[in-house]
Amino acid sequence: MTELRPGEVLAGYVIARRVGAGGSGVVYAARHPRLPRLTALKILKRDEVAEDDEVWRRFEREADIAAHFDHPNIVQIYDRGVAEDRFWISMQFVDGADAGELHHVSPDRALSIGAEIGAALDYAHGKGVLHRDVKPSNILIADPESGRPERALLTDFGIARLRDETTKLTHTGNISATFAFASPEQVSGKPVGPRSDQYSLACTLFVLLTDQRPFTADNPLAWVHAHTQEKPRRLSELNPALPEALDDVFDRALAKDPEDRFDSCVDFACAATEAYYSDPALAVTARARLLHPPPRTVGRQRRKPLWHGRLQRRVLIPAAVAAVTAAGVGFALDQGNSPSPPTARGMVPDRFVGTWLATEGQTNYRLTVQQAKIGDPVLSNRVDGVLPNGFPFHCEFSAPLDQVPGDGDRLIIGTSEIVVREPSNACRANGPTTLTLLPDGRVSRKTDVSGLITYTSADTLISSWGREDAAIARAFPSLIGQLAANGTAVGWQGGSCQPKDPGPDEAVQGAHRVRCNAEDATGQPRFDFLDFDTRPGKSVAALFFGGNARVTPVTHQDVAGDLTVTTAASVDPAVTRDSESQRALAAVSFPDGDPRSRFVMVLHWPGHTVNNLLTDWLDRAPLK
């Protein structure tokens, strides 16, 4: 199969770079044809399926089912089709490595990955879909980002089945990679069920915990014998840091008879976690980890709880260790953080009041908490993102105050009400939730729709930029994000922003500037914020276009009055596409009397017109 090169177009997607390859094809990072985001575009090997149309039809049906999955640990499928004699699938782009690239993984991290993938598999099994190819390379590890810790996502639903049915797992180079994680029923040709995926998950978690496989072989017949006849190796012997209690758990998950395994993947993950923390040396961590385990039920069967995951590992565990290490100090961290008294206007501790921001991939959240009494509106939430079909959505919610627990670190929020919903089927209201103040000053909210979101206060975000750029951060916090120690921030739609004042040869010298996506190679819009301290003395046309420009008024939901969009007279907003040879710049200024009139935004979007930029990006970008 001839591979695609950067800049080539397939089914409307512009290839940005090659990400990797596997038995089922090649994966590229590609620019979405209409939206400023990257998509993972998998090109299947046509020669493996061309001779059997029924195989492709079966895959299409399974892909259609997987496309309806809505789980935080399953890679979302967007679309699939045939173009230029190639089968292609577009799916969620995950910025990070796959688990096959991980080595010397800490047990805590490995068990967390196992728990997340176990939950994803049980979810799919509940939908009647088996994965059939669970292995480290099919687990993507998303890098931490704005309020969200590292996350494991399962990919390749259905694709594995297509490959199995067409190649019989015999291609050179795929034997060990696939057979090493296959269940006894798979390698012996027997019917497979959900517990087959559990077996493969156990093999995968075994590798993450030890850097070695539970069985060894070097040819297909040896792998069949190993999975159907041999006992798995002992984890505690391969990694002496692991307690022997884990050996019994893996012996059960790797049982030859599916009926002897755990009832579900979650049960296996819980048992492994419990066995690991049964070690007395880990008792302190276990106490922090097992606080308030949420009950879980699946169907009629009661299941063991999946304890608070990454949030507790990264916040509660260090706090517990610090409390024990500092003998006699106890829970000193809480002493300087006592609840603030309610005000005359309401019952909400002042530490909750304000604006809180979070960005997760292509979705941005803006949470506003105000003073309130029980039953009064206390929370408003604005959510902007991209639907699975590639189109944008915008939602706004309001929710009442239900309860203020006496510890002062939580608010119980009532059921949300939808205030704005675009399009009409885009949003669902949350049930009652808890807003929790974390020891590091952030707040978290776990909902039945979006899962756990951790927010940073707008004040913290603003102060991170320092005095020179604080005015830009205060005016556009949702767009530029929080500045990190490396001098960059993750802003709107995952944009990379950093301070970069104009140089001596620029007409806007003397202004302060924040640049976003300036070095981006994936096709996202590029946008600068310039702060002139007061409304610029020269016109925008003179500053950026030598006075030869066209001016267009544009409305925006966050602006009272019209924005002014200025472009070069030679640029046709509907036709001219931004390129290295001809920049289709748009300079956006605010109306007189608006506090933001001291700022000018300069935008361009490689490969797109100014009108694309205004309707597909600026129209829904938060200008507050």
Side-chain angles (χ1 to χ4, degrees):
M1 181 177 67
T2 303
E3 295 201 5
L4 299 172
R5 294 173 295 179
E8 289 192 67
V9 179
L10 182 74
Y13 293 88
V14 181
I15 302 300
R17 64 180 184 274
R18 186 182 189 269
V19 174
S24 59
V26 183
V27 180
Y28 300 92
R31 296 196 297 270
H32 191 279
R34 294 176 301 279
L35 295 169
R37 72 170 188 187
L38 278 181
T39 293
L41 194 68
K42 173 162 282 193
I43 311 299
L44 300 185
K45 294 179 179 178
R46 178 69 186 256
D47 55 352
E48 292 187 357
V49 297
E51 297 179 0
D52 190 347
D53 289 340
E54 178 59 26
V55 168
W56 177 251
R57 284 193 292 270
R58 283 197 297 270
F59 168 73
E60 280 190 307
R61 289 195 296 270
E62 191 153 359
D64 286 343
I65 295 172
H68 287 88
F69 286 173
D70 181 14
H71 193 280
N73 300 110
I74 295 178
V75 172
Q76 177 71 58
I77 291 178
Y78 297 142
D79 199 359
R80 81 279 183 276
V82 182
E84 300 177 17
D85 205 37
R86 290 181 170 97
F87 295 113
W88 60 269
I89 305 162
S90 67
M91 59 186 72
Q92 175 186 354
F93 178 78
V94 178
D95 193 5
D98 69 62
E101 301 175 41
L102 303 181
H103 299 285
H104 308 296
V105 179
S106 69
D108 185 75
R109 185 186 184 194
L111 290 167
S112 172
I113 293 171
E116 292 187 336
I117 298 305
L121 287 168
D122 281 357
Y123 173 89
H125 297 160
K127 300 287 187 180
V129 179
L130 303 179
H131 189 280
R132 295 182 172 84
D133 198 23
V134 180
K135 57 187 178 184
S137 61
N138 279 338
I139 297 173
L140 305 182
I141 309 298
D143 293 334
E145 58 182 2
S146 290
R148 165 172 273 170
E150 177 186 271
R151 181 167 49 130
L153 295 94
L154 187 60
T155 189
D156 264 10
F157 273 96
I159 299 172
R161 180 176 186 176
L162 171 66
R163 183 171 66 252
D164 293 351
E165 292 177 343
T166 56
T167 68
K168 307 303 181 187
L169 300 174
T170 57
H171 278 339
T172 301
N174 291 340
I175 293 174
S176 291
T178 299
F179 266 112
F181 303 93
S183 67
E185 52 269 35
Q186 280 181 294
V187 299
S188 57
K190 296 179 180 178
V192 299
R195 294 182 187 185
S196 174
D197 282 344
Q198 179 190 146
Y199 183 99
S200 300
L201 175 61
C203 291
T204 298
L205 186 52
F206 193 106
V207 171
L208 292 177
L209 288 166
T210 66
D211 278 334
Q212 299 187 55
R213 292 168 176 170
F215 305 97
T216 57
D218 57 8
N219 63 74
L221 288 178
W223 279 116
V224 172
H225 182 269
H227 284 300
T228 59
Q229 304 296 326
E230 295 179 7
K231 291 184 177 181
R233 303 158 80 187
R234 306 282 287 177
L235 282 94
S236 60
E237 294 177 1
L238 297 174
N239 183 354
L242 299 175
E244 291 183 3
L246 270 174
D247 294 327
D248 293 337
V249 173
F250 277 80
D251 283 347
R252 181 176 175 184
L254 294 172
K256 307 306 180 186
D257 187 342
E259 294 300 316
D260 293 334
R261 299 171 200 157
F262 291 93
D263 291 335
S264 71
C265 294
V266 165
D267 285 347
F268 160 57
C270 287
T273 302
E274 185 175 15
Y276 176 69
Y277 286 103
S278 67
D279 188 335
L282 299 167
V284 171
T285 304
R287 282 184 61 82
R289 203 170 171 58
L290 299 176
L291 289 176
H292 310 299
R296 296 188 51 167
T297 57
V298 179
R300 293 174 295 176
Q301 177 186 335
R302 184 72 174 182
R303 292 189 173 171
K304 297 178 183 178
L306 273 180
W307 301 297
H308 293 264
R310 293 194 169 94
L311 179 61
Q312 289 182 331
R313 276 192 294 280
R314 299 178 187 225
V315 177
L316 295 176
I317 292 174
V321 173
V324 172
T325 304
V329 174
F331 296 94
L333 291 175
D334 290 338
Q335 294 178 1
N337 206 21
S338 57
S340 54
T343 69
R345 294 181 294 111
M347 303 178 66
V348 179
D350 289 339
R351 291 172 297 162
F352 283 97
V353 176
T355 300
W356 304 84
L357 305 168
T359 299
E360 297 200 351
Q362 296 290 321
T363 304
N364 294 80
Y365 302 85
R366 184 185 182 94
L367 193 71
T368 303
V369 180
Q370 63 187 19
Q371 271 299 343
K373 297 179 181 179
I374 301 299
D376 292 341
V378 67
L379 178 151
S380 60
N381 194 19
R382 169 175 170 166
V383 185
D384 295 275
V386 178
L387 295 169
N389 62 9
F391 291 96
F393 72 87
H394 169 79
C395 305
E396 296 179 23
F397 305 89
S398 176
L401 180 63
D402 187 64
Q403 184 182 345
V404 182
D407 56 20
D409 288 337
R410 291 176 296 145
L411 298 179
I412 311 300
I413 309 298
T415 301
S416 296
E417 177 184 352
I418 298 173
V419 179
V420 175
R421 177 164 54 185
E422 300 172 354
S424 60
N425 62 345
C427 314
R428 287 193 294 130
N430 294 308
T433 60
T434 301
L435 199 65
T436 303
L437 185 68
L438 303 179
D440 61 3
R442 296 181 299 163
V443 298
S444 68
R445 184 183 184 213
K446 187 171 184 179
T447 74
D448 53 359
V449 176
S450 302
L452 180 67
I453 307 294
T454 303
Y455 299 83
T456 300
S457 75
D459 290 340
T460 298
L461 184 153
I462 292 164
S463 63
S464 71
W465 283 87
R467 184 172 59 186
E468 291 184 344
D469 300 299
I472 297 175
R474 184 175 296 107
F476 309 103
S478 299
L479 280 170
I480 68 172
Q482 182 175 357
L483 190 65
N486 62 3
T488 60
V490 177
W492 178 250
Q493 295 183 333
S496 176
C497 303
Q498 59 187 131
K500 183 71 173 180
D501 285 349
D505 58 340
E506 295 185 70
V508 291
Q509 181 185 1
H512 293 298
R513 178 171 60 193
V514 170
R515 311 202 78 168
C516 298
N517 297 331
E519 306 299 326
D520 178 75
T522 66
Q524 289 203 78
R526 303 181 183 186
F527 52 105
D528 294 357
F529 296 94
L530 288 148
D531 179 11
F532 293 90
D533 290 328
T534 62
R535 190 169 184 83
K538 293 184 178 180
S539 69
V540 171
L543 282 170
F544 298 98
F545 305 106
N548 188 18
R550 75 172 76 211
V551 175
T552 305
V554 173
T555 60
H556 192 282
Q557 61 181 353
D558 293 337
V559 180
D562 289 338
L563 294 170
T564 300
V565 177
T566 306
T567 58
S570 59
V571 169
D572 185 332
V575 176
T576 307
R577 295 183 178 274
D578 182 73
S579 65
E580 292 292 339
S581 60
Q582 184 172 16
R583 284 283 173 233
L585 298 178
V588 180
S589 52
F590 293 81
D592 288 330
D594 191 301
R596 294 162 292 186
S597 63
R598 61 187 283 181
F599 307 105
V600 175
M601 299 174 62
V602 180
L603 320 172
H604 68 99
W605 189 0
H608 295 75
T609 68
V610 169
N611 283 357
N612 292 151
L613 184 63
L614 299 181
T615 58
D616 294 346
W617 189 85
L618 181 63
D619 183 58
R620 59 193 180 94
L623 298 183
K624 63 179 182 180

